[in-house]
Amino acid sequence: MQAVILVGGEGTRLRPLTSTVPKPVVPLVDRPFIAFMLEWLRSHGIEDVIMSCGFLATSLRNVLGDGSGLGMRLRFVEEPDARGTAGALKFAESLLDERFVMLNGDILTDLDLAAQIAQHEATGAKATLALVPVADPTAYGLVHLEDDRSVRDFVEKPSSDAIDTNMISAGAYVLEREILQLVPAERNVSIEREVWPLLVGNGLYGFPSQSYWLDIGSPERYLQGTFDILEGNVHSAVTERMGSDWLAVADGAEVKGRVIPPAVLERGVRVGDGAHVGSLVVLAEDVSVGASSVVERAVILNGTQIDEGCVLRGCIVAAGCRIGARTRISGGAVLGEGVTIGADNVIAGGARIFPGVVLPDGAIEF
């Protein structure tokens, strides 16, 4: 079985993390985000993957290579312009098998893909959509099924009084190649809006699942995905790495303060005297946390330096940042790569500071 992953978006909702790197290779816990999807595919026996690229495609290719390090074959197709979900698939048509899996490249899931494929085969479907429940269906399109799991209809972003199901499309599809006949070439085509309606009553099925699913499309969801991985709410290789004490501290990390699990501390991390790290924290390689600083429910990426007496809670700090003494960062704030924040600043309220910005001492109380 073969998979096509759509990774052509610019990841605008996740900026400034995606200002310098494509969303698929933004670090998530201890590996590029897309690695979780590739490892999940491999666990279901899929080793031939086509990456349908757009924004910063060369960077994506440079990070992932040919897939041999993951035990897979990776091929890259770069759209000349935005083609939409179905148009991107059409552009890769020459590489596709008679049956394949299509995936949105921004989901974190442990869906039973083998069971979805088995249902697809048993029903003789042309397309089978994985469906998952969500707490707030009003932000999504709902999918109604008949008793035989064929799709009856779709309801786009319904009002609360019109909701009679919480099942939405999970962006994971098993497809027969013949559906490409429904997609016109060389233009932007949406598979959700233009192809699925043509297949209702004609080979379109749903596969309901209670599996973990999250769209990593915003800083809030990026943090939620990180926490779910650390807590083992979604099964991944990180779970095995953390072990029964839910704590992974790499060789070479120097910890003088206190670390509360679950947490991941990578090589070269330094935690100063009296500092408090965790729970729900990732400190990437060569991060330093100064004496008496507090880092909780946060992701701090490679090489960032946090001076003494700082408090970082519920935030994301990209690589190579410098945070001055007694600065407080919280409330979903995100710092882009290479940001420098002087001493005695307060940054909160979902503030986003873009790469390379320099703020002097005491410059801001957001």
Side-chain angles (χ1 to χ4, degrees), residues 27-46:
L28 185 63
V29 184
D30 63 353
R31 62 202 68 197
F33 166 61
I34 197 67
F36 287 93
M37 178 172 283
L38 295 174
E39 290 164 0
W40 166 66
L41 288 171
R42 189 181 60 194
S43 74
H44 287 92
I46 295 178

Side-chain angles (χ1 to χ4, degrees), residues 79-356:
E79 300 172 83
D81 46 59
R83 298 288 175 92
T85 46
L89 197 62
K90 186 74 171 182
F91 190 71
E93 183 173 15
S94 63
L95 302 178
L96 299 178
D97 293 339
E98 291 305 311
R99 176 179 295 156
F100 54 91
V101 175
M102 175 182 172
L103 303 158
N104 292 340
D106 52 7
I107 59 174
L108 178 66
T109 186
D110 56 12
L111 179 84
D112 188 346
L113 189 56
Q116 182 181 354
I117 294 169
Q119 178 190 299
H120 179 87
E121 294 176 344
T123 58
K126 296 177 183 178
T128 301
L129 322 180
L131 308 178
V132 293
V134 293
D136 179 14
T138 60
Y140 300 91
L142 306 183
V143 184
H144 292 120
L145 301 181
E146 303 288 5
D147 291 341
D148 65 353
R149 294 192 171 181
S150 61
V151 173
R152 183 172 79 242
D153 59 31
F154 298 89
V155 180
E156 277 299 321
K157 297 184 178 180
S159 60
S160 57
D161 58 356
I163 292 173
D164 56 0
T165 179
N166 64 346
M167 301 300 286
I168 69 164
S169 174
Y173 318 123
V174 184
L175 306 176
E176 299 295 310
R177 182 187 171 91
E178 65 183 272
I179 74 159
L180 292 171
Q181 298 171 12
L182 304 174
V183 183
E186 298 185 3
R187 75 170 180 86
N188 191 308
V189 184
S190 166
I191 202 165
E192 298 85 358
R193 293 190 297 272
E194 298 179 64
V195 177
W196 297 156
L198 299 176
L199 289 174
V200 172
N202 187 29
L204 183 63
Y205 285 76
F207 174 74
S209 172
Q210 297 296 317
S211 299
Y212 178 93
W213 178 88
L214 185 69
D215 170 7
I216 307 284
S218 67
E220 295 79 12
R221 290 180 180 175
Y222 172 89
L223 279 176
Q224 186 60 57
T226 298
F227 301 157
D228 286 339
I229 291 167
L230 293 179
E231 292 182 311
N233 296 329
V234 54
H235 181 76
S236 71
V238 177
T239 306
E240 283 74 26
R241 180 187 173 195
M242 297 184 73
S244 59
D245 59 359
W246 298 98
L247 185 62
V249 180
D251 292 342
E254 179 184 297
V255 179
K256 295 180 179 179
R258 185 181 183 195
V259 179
I260 308 299
V264 171
L265 281 65
E266 299 291 7
R267 293 179 301 174
V269 163
R270 298 181 301 282
V271 177
D273 291 326
H276 175 109
V277 171
S279 65
L280 297 172
V281 165
V282 174
L283 301 183
E285 290 187 3
D286 300 319
V287 166
S288 64
V289 179
S292 301
S293 285
V294 175
V295 182
E296 298 175 339
R297 299 180 64 85
V299 175
I300 316 297
L301 296 180
N302 294 36
T304 284
Q305 296 179 10
I306 302 168
D307 286 351
E308 64 181 23
C310 294
V311 177
L312 282 74
R313 288 193 176 102
C315 61
I316 307 166
V317 180
C321 292
R322 302 292 179 267
I323 300 171
R326 298 173 303 281
T327 284
R328 304 173 68 91
I329 304 174
S330 62
V334 186
L335 273 59
E337 187 173 339
V339 166
T340 297
I341 305 294
D344 300 306
N345 281 286
V346 178
I347 299 171
R352 301 191 188 192
I353 301 181
F354 279 70

